[in-house]
Amino acid sequence: MEREWLFSLIPLTIGVVFLGFGVHGLRRAGALARTGVDAPARIVRHQTWRSDEGATYYHPVAAWTAQDGTACEYASRFGRGAVGSGFGVGAHVTVRYDPKAPERFVIQGWDKRAVDLLFTVLGSVLTAGTVGVLLVRLLTL
């Protein structure tokens, strides 16, 4: 076998990383669905992030009071290119958070499981496809 097989490590690595991010996000969403607590919140500002290509992404920062009386203020892990009317500064939203770690939360209606699902599917396809190709190459030597 020549050194060409080393190039297959690139899609394998990308696939494993995507799969890891996706599974982590889905597990986190599942844990919040089971043990999370809903709380009324308000969008207090948006954290902006500008990509190298010049696109701007907005991450709403939600503020709420936890069950134990602690004031919480955290930015969503998901950003979008535009802010809908329901998520502008001052908008009242509902967050679902982990009472043991309030920084783990979702803004209902903003955070979508579809992103985590997409990463999981793409990671699975890249990983399984690359492993399949490597097995065929090894078996046909």
Side-chain angles (χ1 to χ4, degrees):
M1 188 194 269
E2 292 122 27
R3 297 172 67 166
E4 290 89 23
W5 71 273
L6 286 172
F7 288 107
S8 64
L9 294 178
I10 295 169
L12 181 63
T13 303
I14 293 170
V16 169
V17 169
F18 275 28
L19 185 60
F21 279 122
V23 168
H24 173 74
L26 289 175
R27 288 178 52 96
R28 178 181 174 190
L32 279 176
R34 285 188 308 278
T35 62
V37 176
D38 287 340
R42 192 170 56 85
I43 304 298
V44 293
R45 68 181 178 282
H46 291 98
Q47 284 185 353
T48 57
W49 178 76
R50 185 173 294 272
S51 71
D52 293 336
E53 293 82 25
T56 301
Y57 296 97
Y58 301 93
H59 298 259
V61 178
W64 71 93
T65 303
Q67 283 180 330
D68 63 1
T70 305
C72 301
E73 187 176 301
Y74 299 104
S76 172
R77 70 183 184 118
F78 290 111
R80 294 186 186 169
V83 177
S85 61
F87 300 99
V89 174
H92 294 277
V93 296
T94 300
V95 296
R96 186 162 188 89
Y97 70 96
D98 182 347
K100 296 177 184 173
E103 67 276 3
R104 294 190 334 198
F105 77 102
V106 294
I107 300 172
Q108 293 181 357
W110 178 270
D111 296 317
K112 303 287 185 190
R113 285 178 42 144
V115 174
D116 295 324
L117 189 58
L118 177 66
F119 271 94
T120 302
V121 169
L122 286 176
S124 298
V125 168
L126 281 171
T127 302
T130 305
V131 168
V133 167
L134 284 174
L135 285 175
V136 168
R137 282 199 46 102
L138 285 173
L139 293 174
T140 58
L141 283 179

